[in-house]
Amino acid sequence: MGLKAVVNSPSPAASTDESGAVEVTNVGHVYETASGTTEALTDISFRVETGRFVSIVGPSGCGKSSLLMMIAGLVQPTRGTIIAGGRPLVQPDPTRIGVVFQDASLYPWLTARSNVEFPLSLRHVDRKIRRERAEAALELVGLAGFADKHPHELSGGMKQRVALARGLVQDPPILLMDEPFAALDEQTRLTMGDEVLRIWERTRKTIIFVTHGLSEAIHLSDEVLVLTSRPGKLVDRVAVDLPRPRSFEVMGGRRFEELRERIWQRIRS
Amino acid sequence: MNTATVRSTGARVIPAPVARAALVAALIAVWQVAPTIGLVDPRLLPPPSVVGPMIVHLFGESGFQGHLATTLLETVIAFLVSVPVGFILAILIGENKYASDIFKPLVFFVFSIPKSIFLPLFIFAFGISFHQKVAFGVFSTLFIVMMLSFAAIESVRRDHLVVARSYGATRMQTVLRVYLPGMTPVLLEAIRVSMIFNFTGILLAEMYASREGLGNVIEQWGQGFQLDRLMATIVVIAAIAIVFNETIRALESRCEHWRE
Ligand SMILES: Nc1ncnc2c1ncn2[C@@H]1O[C@H](COP(=O)(O)OP(=O)(O)O)[C@@H](O)[C@H]1O
Ligand SMILES: [Mg+2]
């Protein structure tokens, strides 16, 4: 397999901080529908250390979303176990894991602020604290002045920022993002990528980021997990040994091309 | 915004609301002039100058007040029964796949039948009474409420529900904070359309057989050739219907962006 050989070595072996670690062991998932069964994922195992930025790439339909939903506790794996933040997950736990979806999925009847406060209000957090935290989260994503706007008054990129703030508002150690910028135009996508990196560097959360953009995955991540489809299988783990911050030169350099080529080959095989 | 600019190739000399008001005014003017100059028999079409004062006069008549009160009461009661009952039935059916498979087609079948043909049965069951009017009003409204409620439930976006779940919403929180606001735009439309069915049902039942109510006086004054009174009542009923409809429509437009 050669899997071991490519596992990111610069990650400090001393990392015993389980608070943001995600451990996926022999996970498989089968969907049962009226028209039959679909084996979405089979025998997936990997571990993400606390504070790491890991991307998952793979062709559409290979089970990336399913995998993320299982880590979030929204879907139960048919096989295997998932441990997040040191404990198994039997149902969604928003204090451990925040999720950002492809469509921002904001509630159109709530303002940006109320959307961000939503997770807190579900837990009956005191109104004042709720407000403070929502403001802080909106400021973190660069939307301080837009708290009172409704989603229909915001651009696609701004909506995703609100969704990001909503994911961050309870300060979970783990953040899952499912193709969060796929619906945005190229330029906004690049800006949002930088934004996520800035937030990651400030908060040092574990981020698991699903994308089908190979460049985006390499640009952002410490490590790229490569899935292939039918059924979804983990075929490679590529450590991105490019120095940060990843400047324009680094991204246009030879090593970047090598990594990109390798991931591309693995996806096609 | 864009459709308007694309379509208005010619200059828009008059704003649409002004043009609309002018059109209504012109129709009223024709209604006034035609009987006055003898184009139509004023006994067949009493002009606004007769109908207007008649409306004022009718509101002062205790008999008319009673008829108006009866109709409004029947309408309100039938509405307050049929809308919640239809909505709750729709939720119970819509939530369960098996129940949906059984009941949804039946609701569609019954909805397609003209309700007026059942009026004689309602008289057998309830007699010619207040209850009979209300029951027929409920019957006329229930199925449209259910059909529109099915649509309202389906209009709730799945991803909105997933978000709620991922942030640990309880079942009750999901209903109150996601389902209800998510359904509101379609639900308001349901309320508006249901009222049209409801009001129609009540008036029809009154016209068919009754001793009181606006439907009854319309029938009476039509038969008795009292067209000034008939026209005045028609205007009153039309005004009630339009005011209700427009009120709900105003609420709808306030939450129009909720659908996005
Ligand atoms: N709720 C579901 N019911 C049945 N099949 C599903 C469901 N969700 C996903 N699938 C199937 O599982 C496979 C993986 O889907 P998904 O996880 O969405 O992949 P990706 O996110 O990589 O595009 C696909 O074949 C898809 O059709
Ligand atoms: Mg997906």
Side-chain angles (χ1 to χ4, degrees), chain B residues 65 170 181:
Chain B
Q65 288 167 2
T170 62

Side-chain angles (χ1 to χ4, degrees), chain A residues 54-193:
Chain A
V54 173
S55 285
I56 301 176
V57 298
S60 146
C62 72
K64 304 184 293 294
S65 297
S66 304
L67 181 55
L68 221 60
M69 292 304 103
M70 286 191 283
I71 299 173
L74 287 163
V75 172
Q76 287 306 310
T78 316
R79 283 223 188 84
T81 54
I82 294 174
I83 292 175
R87 283 172 292 145
L89 209 68
V90 282
Q91 60 184 18
D93 178 357
T95 58
R96 254 189 288 175
I97 296 176
V99 193
V100 179
F101 299 91
Q102 172 169 344
D103 305 309
S105 295
L106 303 176
Y107 296 120
W109 51 89
L110 299 178
T111 60
R113 185 205 315 278
S114 302
N115 267 292
V116 175
E117 281 182 16
F118 182 77
L120 300 173
S121 69
L122 289 180
R123 294 173 45 230
H124 309 290
V125 172
D126 177 73
R127 184 179 287 273
K128 224 183 100 203
I129 298 172
R130 220 156 74 190
R131 214 181 163 90
E132 275 166 22
R133 291 221 215 136
E135 308 251 286
L138 280 168
E139 193 171 325
L140 185 63
V141 300
L143 278 185
F146 295 86
D148 294 315
K149 299 272 186 231
H150 281 83
H152 73 285
E153 299 169 289
L154 302 173
S155 70
M158 288 158 106
K159 278 188 236 179
Q160 273 305 358
R161 283 172 198 254
V162 177
L164 187 55
R166 180 174 63 186
L168 293 166
V169 74
Q170 310 200 71
D171 201 23
I174 301 162
L175 191 62
L176 308 179
M177 305 180 82
D178 190 1
E179 304 201 36
F181 313 137
L184 305 179
D185 62 83
E186 176 82 22
Q187 216 170 339
T188 314
R189 185 159 55 239
L190 291 176
T191 318
M192 291 300 291

Side-chain angles (χ1 to χ4, degrees), chain A residues 109, chain B residues 86-87 90-91 94 104 144-158 161 178-191 259:
Chain A
W109 51 89
Chain B
F87 180 61
I91 286 183
K104 267 191 186 174
I144 184 73
V145 173
M146 287 176 75
M147 301 235 312
L148 293 173
S149 300
F150 290 146
I153 295 165
E154 272 157 32
S155 74
V156 175
R157 276 168 45 180
R158 288 202 52 79
L161 298 171
V178 184
Y179 264 107
L180 269 188
M183 285 190 295
T184 296
V186 182
L187 223 47
L188 282 173
E189 196 177 323
I191 284 175
R259 288 174 193 250

